Amino acid sequence: MKLPGGLKALHYYNFRLYFSGQAISLIGTWMQRIAVNWLVYTVTHSAFMLGLVAFAGQIPMLILSPYAGAFVDRHSRYRTLLVTQIASMVQAGLLALIVLTGFYNIPAIIFLSVLLGVINAFDTPARQSLMIVLVENKGDLPNAIALNSSMVTLARLIGPALAGILLSSFGEGVCFLVNFLSFIAVILSLLLMKIKVPERKKHTEPIWKGLVEGFNYMKKHRGISSAIGLMALTSLIVMPYSNLFPVFAQTIFKGNVTTFSWLNSISGLGALFGAIYMTTIKPGKSLLRIIVLSSLLLSVSLMFFAYSHSLLAALIFILVGESGMLAQIAATNTYVQTNVDEHMRGRVISYYVMAFQGMQPIGSLLVGWSAHAGSAQATVFLEGLAGVVIALLFIPALKRVKRMSLEKQLHRNN
């Protein structure tokens, strides 16, 4: 059966397995994220503790991502992904066990968050680097990335909604248990793949040399380094705003776990709209332009969200802002993956992962401290304002990249 153009990557058997398995697993992952945030804020009533737990879960990405990228370039991406998914399942099982039995405290949650962060530092570059193998034809890679983003954001929509129902009815432990069980789907999908694992060239030089090579490669490719640089600053300053959702739900809008669930679900819906838009992008469309415009859309929306007087208005601004956030993430990922040389893929993607996820822990800690010392509303407004300034400052750099690309193309034609 011929698939529509927006679904062409699903033509590949291995990608269909990956897509379906990850879709189920990520719903569980988002349920766990929501339940952890709600549990921490319910126990501590501290915006700073929300930031601290987020910091603990994401800081390994900042520290380990470059090493993990070099590791992925030296070893089987498929086997690395299989191991990290099994390890993630064990982490979710431990979290479910201590909460359901009542033997938990904030230090234990922080420890398990750090453990998951270490696992994800290796999981993300392995998963992103495997994409080109799953679709086989590089021309279908942008569609696969866009479909993957759509799947992730659909999970962001469904996961928080289910978490809200289970949190109000059964508590946090059940959410963690569902996440534990959801890993069965992704592990099974990996085992069923008919995948030809590429032979990896044996490396004798120290792994740190690979890290330096990846960094030098990025420096020479200004488009890649500029896109990753903008992502890093956006992740550091703007994206951590969602850690304050429990504060907005309970303190600003005087709501409960249902209000918290709405804030998270509507952000997932907005991200889904952004992902759907990215599936419609035709070859030749300027991804760098999309990156800057979507960053501006996210930042301006946050400024309006910060001082919204009604929940409905807040939900609308989150919807619009998250669509911009997803478009920036997907456009950056697509630009990097379609412009990087294959032998450098794992290392360069690890720097992208470090920019996207590794910078957020520092931002989460700063945002949590700022909201604790001042107010959540003022903090989010300043995040949005800073995001606007950052995006505008990157416009000249991205224009230079576009001009250099045109000059190279003219040179080749001559």
Side-chain angles (χ1 to χ4, degrees):
M1 183 179 71
K2 187 177 174 72
L3 293 170
L7 303 175
K8 59 186 176 182
L10 291 173
H11 169 75
Y12 301 101
Y13 169 79
N14 288 327
F15 184 76
R16 288 199 303 273
L17 279 174
Y18 171 86
F19 186 89
S20 56
Q22 284 285 338
I24 295 171
S25 178
L26 284 171
I27 290 173
T29 298
W30 275 100
M31 291 176 68
Q32 176 168 305
R33 289 183 184 182
I34 299 307
V36 165
N37 279 350
W38 187 255
L39 177 62
V40 169
Y41 193 69
T42 300
V43 171
T44 66
H45 295 287
S46 169
F48 177 75
M49 289 307 300
L50 281 172
L52 181 60
V53 171
F55 174 84
Q58 295 169 329
I59 193 61
M61 302 289 286
L62 178 63
I63 299 172
L64 295 176
S65 283
Y67 175 87
F71 178 90
V72 167
D73 274 340
R74 290 165 176 251
H75 300 83
S76 167
R77 302 163 187 174
Y78 170 79
R79 294 192 187 96
T80 301
L81 183 59
L82 184 60
V83 170
T84 57
Q85 290 298 302
I86 293 171
S88 296
M89 185 179 187
V90 172
Q91 187 272 351
L94 290 173
L95 186 56
L97 181 64
I98 65 171
V99 173
L100 287 172
T101 56
F103 291 99
Y104 71 91
N105 50 36
I106 297 301
I109 293 173
I110 290 175
F111 171 77
L112 288 174
S113 296
V114 171
L115 177 61
L116 183 59
V118 172
I119 296 167
N120 285 338
F122 290 86
D123 177 88
T124 305
R127 183 158 20 96
Q128 297 287 353
S129 300
L130 188 67
M131 201 75 68
I132 188 66
V133 179
L134 298 179
V135 297
E136 300 171 21
N137 183 355
K138 187 178 179 181
D140 293 330
L141 182 60
N143 182 251
I145 293 172
L147 283 174
N148 183 65
S149 297
S150 300
M151 173 257 290
V152 171
T153 51
L154 187 60
R156 285 185 62 186
L157 175 62
I158 298 173
L162 291 178
I165 295 171
L166 293 179
L167 281 170
S168 59
S169 302
F170 304 105
E172 298 87 358
V174 174
C175 291
F176 302 143
L177 179 61
V178 170
N179 183 40
F180 167 75
L181 296 174
S182 73
F183 280 101
I184 295 173
V186 69
I187 293 171
L188 187 61
S189 72
L190 289 171
L191 293 174
L192 289 174
M193 284 182 182
K194 299 174 182 177
I195 192 168
K196 183 179 179 181
V197 181
E199 290 292 328
R200 310 303 289 172
K201 177 184 175 182
K202 289 189 178 295
H203 293 266
T204 56
E205 71 273 9
I207 200 167
W208 63 264
K209 188 175 180 181
L211 307 184
V212 175
E213 288 175 353
F215 184 76
N216 290 335
Y217 178 90
M218 278 204 316
K219 284 171 62 178
K220 292 178 182 177
H221 294 74
R222 297 295 296 275
I224 293 176
S225 59
S226 295
I228 290 178
L230 178 55
M231 175 59 69
L233 290 174
T234 304
S235 298
L236 173 68
I237 297 172
V238 186
M239 291 184 182
Y241 87 98
S242 59
N243 290 326
L244 298 178
F245 277 173
V247 183
F248 275 86
Q250 288 193 26
T251 306
I252 307 300
F253 297 118
K254 309 300 180 184
N256 52 24
V257 69
T258 303
T259 311
F260 177 55
S261 176
W262 267 107
L263 291 170
N264 283 281
S265 292
I266 207 68
S267 68
L269 181 60
L272 181 61
F273 288 158
I276 292 172
Y277 166 73
M278 290 302 298
T279 64
T280 66
I281 297 299
K282 296 179 180 179
K285 188 82 171 179
S286 175
L287 291 171
L288 294 177
R289 185 168 180 268
I290 292 173
I291 290 168
V292 172
L293 291 177
S294 56
S295 178
L296 285 171
L297 182 63
L298 164 64
S299 301
V300 172
S301 298
L302 286 197
M303 294 171 69
F304 284 102
F305 161 71
Y307 287 104
S308 298
H309 296 295
S310 72
L311 178 60
L312 178 60
L315 293 175
I316 292 172
F317 290 126
I318 290 175
L319 181 76
V320 175
E322 287 286 337
S323 66
M325 181 191 293
L326 192 283
Q328 181 184 358
I329 294 168
T332 304
N333 191 359
T334 303
Y335 183 84
V336 170
Q337 294 236 34
T338 53
N339 285 277
V340 67
D341 294 326
E342 177 60 26
H343 72 285
M344 298 297 297
R345 184 174 298 274
R347 277 164 283 186
V348 172
I349 288 176
S350 72
Y351 282 106
Y352 161 75
V353 171
M354 185 170 66
F356 171 37
Q357 295 181 319
M359 298 303 291
Q360 289 190 46
I362 300 174
S364 296
L365 201 61
L366 293 174
V367 165
W369 171 82
S370 175
H372 180 77
S375 73
Q377 290 173 300
T379 297
V380 172
F381 180 83
L382 290 174
E383 285 183 272
L385 181 61
V388 170
V389 174
I390 290 166
L392 293 176
L393 289 176
F394 265 80
I395 290 177
L398 297 179
K399 281 184 175 179
R400 281 197 302 272
V401 171
K402 185 177 180 180
R403 186 172 61 251
M404 290 168 60
S405 178
L406 289 174
E407 289 173 355
K408 287 181 180 179
Q409 188 174 357
L410 288 173
H411 181 72
R412 284 196 299 266
N413 293 338
N414 293 332

